[in-house]
């Protein structure tokens, strides 16, 4: 007789709806179709080690279970967040025992959040993956190129899982309602909003469905009411994560490419993901010199002014200052000539070491230095027409035919005028 204390807890909706066969998996057709990587593995009945890389709620655990089941292999799951080396050793010992017992099919070892393991833990897997004791399936939300050591990554194919599309989430919502035996009491607009709020995460959609499943309102729930009942999924973009770096990359490239519409969108995405406005402003000041440079010398002034305005006003009223700076930089004429010239000068300084400046450029504050000829022959440029003497400023080894041309302005914006000045000075310097 079952007591009250032995009553089984209800299964979460996400677990109850977990597919048991590949045909029921929603999305990921780029991997599961018969002519695609996992589809071909399933057809052959032979699994190789792989890493599932993708955002949360895209079916990484489900796929691992299905692959093991479809291939007739044992399945062992551990979490890199909760497990350490002792747990890994137990799982590997279990796989060895399974093999020694004569099972033709091996064991799938599924390691969730595998990027959380350190190098020693990852290295411990290598011999067991190499000799076929286990088929490793790792799951990660982070880029395996950065988070897995090279030896382990080279022994596993990387399968990139994609966030679920709205159509996929709609199919999942229909399945959930069929399981519950009723439709959610949502107005059509609220239903669409619920799918958007899931942000490509199937598991989070089912969490929200569960929260709404007991509703019995007098009228269908509106989008506004929906937001008071459940919370939108937090935007991805934690500092240090792949998506954080991807957002920053898209942001800078949009400004560089003079696409103000996209730049403003990525600005909004960064702010929604929790990027500190001051960090964005610092990056904008970098871009003012790196992307715009002397094609529009006011760019750095605008970036500094927007940063000062934000500091004076604060949030949220100061946030449009970021948008103004983004708008200015994205629509400014671009040149990275001075940026490139700086690093070319740094390389030149590294190559030529500690060459002294020419004697005529060095002041002679002591009698000894005057006797040695320091400052002799220096020409004060303001004493010449157009404030230009044409004297030599590079060291002797970098003068004449060896004179470097570090800064090469582009024929754009303010640099068109700079080209004319440089040309005028060069002609007189050579005469």
């Amino acid at each position: 007789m079952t007591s009250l204390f032995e009553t089984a807890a209800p299964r979460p909706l996400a677990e109850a709806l977990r597919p048991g066969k590949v045909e029921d998996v929603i999305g990921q057709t780029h991997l599961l179709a018969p002519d695609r990587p996992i589809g071909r593995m399933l057809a052959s009945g032979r699994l190789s080690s792989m890493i599932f890389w993708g955002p949360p709620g895209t079916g990484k655990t489900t796929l691992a279970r299905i692959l093991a089941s479809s291939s007739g292999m044992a399945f062992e799951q551990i979490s890199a967040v909760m497990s350490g080396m002792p747990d890994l050793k137990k799982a590997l010992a279990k796989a060895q025992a399974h093999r020694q017992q004569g099972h033709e099919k091996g064991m799938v070892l599924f390691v969730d959040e595998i990027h959380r393991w350190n190098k020693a833990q990852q290295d411990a897997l290598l011999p067991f993956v190499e000799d076929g004791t286990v088929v490793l399936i790792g799951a990660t939300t982070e880029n395996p190129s950065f988070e897995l050591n090279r030896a382990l990554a080279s022994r596993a194919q990387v399968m990139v899982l994609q966030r679920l599309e709205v159509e996929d989430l709609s199919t999942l919502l229909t399945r959930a309602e069929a399981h519950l035996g009723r439709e959610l009491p949502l107005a059509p607009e609220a239903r669409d909003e619920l799918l958007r709020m899931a942000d490509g995460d199937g598991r989070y959609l089912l969490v929200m469905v569960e929260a709404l499943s007991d509703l019995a309102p007098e009228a269908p729930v509106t989008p506004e009411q929906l937001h008071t009942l459940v919370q939108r999924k937090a935007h991805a973009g934690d500092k240090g994560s792949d998506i954080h770096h991807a957002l920053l990359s898209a942001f800078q490239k949009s400004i560089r490419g003079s696409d103000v519409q996209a730049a403003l969108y990525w600005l909004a995405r960064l702010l929604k993901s929790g990027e500190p406005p001051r960090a964005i402003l610092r990056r904008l000041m970098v871009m003012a010199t790196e992307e715009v440079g002397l094609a529009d010398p006011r760019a750095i002034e605008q970036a500094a002014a927007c940063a000062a305005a934000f500091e004076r006003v604060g949030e949220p009223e100061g946030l449009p200052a970021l948008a103004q700076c983004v708008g200015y930089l994205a629509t400014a004429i671009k040149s990275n000539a001075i940026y490139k010239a700086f690093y070319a000068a740094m390389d030149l300084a590294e190559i030529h070491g500690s060459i002294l400046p020419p004697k005529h450029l060095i002041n002679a504050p002591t009698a000894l230095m005057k006797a040695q000829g320091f400052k002799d022959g220096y020409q004060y440029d303001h004493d010449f027409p157009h404030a230009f003497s044409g004297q030599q400023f590079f060291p002797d080894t970098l003068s004449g035919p060896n004179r470097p041309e570090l800064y090469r302005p582009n024929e754009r914006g303010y640099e068109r005028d700079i080209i004319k000045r440089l040309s005028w000075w060069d002609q007189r310097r050579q005469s």
Side-chain angles (χ1 to χ4, degrees):
M1 182 174 177
T2 303
S3 72
L4 291 174
F5 300 102
E6 295 171 338
T7 301
R11 297 171 70 198
L13 191 56
E15 187 62 32
L17 291 178
R18 189 186 295 278
K21 51 186 180 179
V22 72
E23 294 81 5
D24 294 333
V25 173
I26 295 173
Q28 315 309 333
T29 55
H30 66 291
L31 296 176
L32 301 177
D35 61 337
R36 297 306 175 94
I38 294 179
R40 291 198 300 271
M41 281 191 202
L42 287 169
S44 69
R46 294 177 59 85
L47 296 185
S48 60
S49 292
M50 64 193 91
I51 303 295
F52 290 159
W53 173 29
T58 51
K60 295 186 286 293
T61 304
T62 295
L63 270 180
R65 289 177 179 272
I66 290 174
L67 288 174
S69 175
S70 300
S71 304
M73 301 178 73
F75 182 80
E76 185 74 14
Q77 176 175 347
I78 55 178
S79 167
V81 176
M82 305 296 293
S83 306
M85 190 67 83
D87 303 286
L88 174 59
K89 288 180 178 179
K90 287 180 184 177
L92 293 173
K94 190 173 181 179
Q96 285 179 309
H98 182 80
R99 191 179 197 182
Q100 291 166 359
Q101 289 166 6
H103 295 284
E104 292 185 9
K105 301 289 186 179
M107 174 182 286
V108 169
L109 176 62
F110 177 65
V111 183
D112 197 15
E113 302 290 340
I114 192 170
H115 62 277
R116 302 276 190 170
W117 269 353
N118 60 33
K119 185 178 185 299
Q121 291 166 312
Q122 292 183 32
D123 284 344
L125 278 169
L126 286 176
F128 299 91
V129 173
E130 286 179 330
D131 68 9
T133 300
V134 296
V135 170
L136 171 67
I137 300 182
T140 177
T141 56
E142 304 295 333
N143 190 332
S145 304
F146 304 135
E147 302 298 337
L148 297 187
N149 68 51
R150 191 170 299 176
L152 184 59
S154 68
R155 289 162 175 79
Q157 297 185 63
V158 175
M159 305 292 182
V160 181
L161 277 70
Q162 299 172 352
R163 67 193 296 275
L164 300 183
E165 301 294 338
V166 171
E167 294 78 10
D168 299 326
L169 293 169
S170 181
T171 300
L172 183 57
L173 177 55
T174 301
R175 286 188 190 178
E177 290 175 325
H179 178 81
L180 294 170
R182 60 189 177 282
E183 289 189 359
L184 294 180
L186 302 175
E189 298 83 2
R191 190 179 183 88
D192 292 340
E193 181 63 13
L194 182 69
L195 300 177
R196 283 192 291 270
M197 290 171 70
D199 196 21
D201 186 332
R203 183 168 54 242
Y204 193 73
L205 173 65
L206 295 179
V207 168
M208 291 192 292
V209 168
E210 230 167 358
L212 298 168
S213 61
D214 294 330
L215 284 180
E218 296 180 358
V221 173
T222 66
E224 293 75 17
Q225 294 169 329
L226 180 65
H227 283 280
T228 67
L229 295 168
V230 290
Q231 294 297 309
R232 178 185 294 273
K233 182 177 181 286
H235 286 262
D238 291 342
K239 197 168 184 63
S241 70
D242 290 333
I243 188 65
H244 171 261
H245 295 297
L247 292 176
L248 287 172
S249 178
F251 180 53
Q252 180 155 353
K253 287 179 172 65
S254 298
I255 290 177
R256 180 185 300 152
S258 300
D259 190 337
V260 65
Q261 320 299 346
L264 288 169
Y265 168 74
W266 293 120
L267 169 65
R269 285 286 305 275
L270 282 166
L271 291 170
K272 287 284 188 182
S273 72
E275 185 74 5
R278 288 177 180 83
I280 297 174
L281 284 163
R282 285 195 296 272
R283 182 165 287 260
L284 288 169
M285 283 190 273
V286 169
M287 282 190 265
T289 53
E290 187 173 326
E291 310 293 357
V292 179
L294 288 179
D296 185 348
R298 291 199 61 198
I300 187 64
E301 298 173 13
Q302 185 71 203
C306 288
F310 176 80
E311 291 297 335
R312 174 67 67 89
V313 178
E315 295 187 58
E317 293 88 347
L319 292 176
L322 279 72
Q324 178 168 326
C325 188
V326 167
Y328 192 97
L329 297 183
T331 58
I333 297 172
K334 308 294 190 300
S335 173
N336 69 343
I338 198 68
Y339 174 81
K340 292 167 64 177
F342 169 70
Y343 286 103
M346 292 291 285
D347 290 342
L348 192 66
E350 177 68 25
I351 291 168
H352 289 278
S354 304
I355 304 174
L356 279 175
K359 277 189 174 182
H360 66 276
L361 298 182
I362 301 176
N363 290 332
T366 68
L368 176 62
M369 293 184 73
K370 288 177 183 176
Q372 293 290 322
F374 288 100
K375 201 180 178 182
D376 286 355
Y378 172 69
Q379 298 173 322
Y380 186 60
D381 286 88
H382 289 287
D383 290 340
F384 290 81
H386 310 291
F388 181 76
S389 66
Q391 66 195 306
Q392 172 185 322
F393 290 97
F394 270 112
D396 291 342
T397 54
L398 295 176
S399 296
N402 297 322
R403 177 183 170 84
E405 187 182 5
L406 301 173
Y407 176 43
R408 299 179 181 180
N410 293 295
E411 286 274 5
R412 296 191 291 273
Y414 185 72
E415 283 193 321
R416 285 179 300 203
D417 292 330
I418 293 177
I419 288 175
K420 295 175 185 176
R421 294 180 206 169
L422 292 180
S423 177
W424 190 89
W425 286 322
D426 284 342
Q427 289 173 10
R428 280 149 185 80
R429 190 176 286 114
Q430 293 165 9
S431 62

